[in-house]
Amino acid sequence: MSREMRIPGPDHPIEISKNPSLIRVVAQDGGKVVAETTAAITLSEANYPPVHYIPLADVDQTLLVRTDSHTYCPYKGEASYYSLVTPEKEIADVVWVYEEPYEAVKAIAGYVAFTPEHVQITVSEAVAN
């Protein structure tokens, strides 16, 4: 199956920037912190809400279970998914990752994003140590 690859441009801009804020992802079921980082990047794409991508190293990977789900974006490539499993429940396909993103967005490799409807994502000013 041939997939069309598109390059971001004026008609569909994509911008990736470092985000020094403290970003915390909490499971909605019991307040379990799933991820916490000051090393996120934020991807802004066309008219979509910005998405915070968090380094996989800053995610509690013991809560993630890879699924067989995949989606395709002509600007970013193929995404793979993880379910979030806490003692309270399992939320299917709440985390996605582009393991081999297209060149234009290669900065998101090694980062994951969360479906905001299923977790609480807070962004606050990072406190210097």
Side-chain angles (χ1 to χ4, degrees), residues 19-21 37-41 53-55 58 111:
N19 188 331
S21 300
T37 191
T38 54
I41 55 178
Y53 281 82
I54 296 173
D58 292 341
Y111 290 74

Side-chain angles (χ1 to χ4, degrees), residues 8 10 75 98 118 124 126:
Y75 294 96
Y98 289 93
H118 298 292
S124 55

Side-chain angles (χ1 to χ4, degrees), residues 48-72:
Y48 298 105
V51 175
H52 302 298
Y53 281 82
I54 296 173
L56 186 57
D58 292 341
V59 177
D60 184 347
Q61 296 175 51
T62 64
L63 302 175
L64 302 182
V65 176
R66 186 181 281 273
T67 71
D68 293 331
S69 298
H70 297 275
T71 57
Y72 179 74

Side-chain angles (χ1 to χ4, degrees), residues 7 16 23 33 53 56 62 70 73-74 79-80 95 99 106-107 110 122:
I7 306 297
I16 299 171
I23 297 178
V33 175
Y53 281 82
L56 186 57
T62 64
H70 297 275
C73 169
S80 300
V95 180
E99 292 169 330
K106 68 181 179 183
T122 58

Side-chain angles (χ1 to χ4, degrees), residues 77-126:
E78 184 173 88
S80 300
Y81 287 79
Y82 291 91
S83 291
L84 178 60
V85 181
T86 67
E88 289 76 20
K89 67 178 175 179
E90 178 174 337
I91 308 167
D93 298 333
V94 71
V95 180
W96 73 89
V97 59
Y98 289 93
E99 292 169 330
E100 295 180 15
Y102 290 150
E103 184 67 24
V105 295
K106 68 181 179 183
I108 63 174
Y111 290 74
V112 300
F114 292 82
T115 305
E117 293 82 14
H118 298 292
V119 294
Q120 178 185 11
I121 301 171
T122 58
V123 179
S124 55
E125 192 172 326

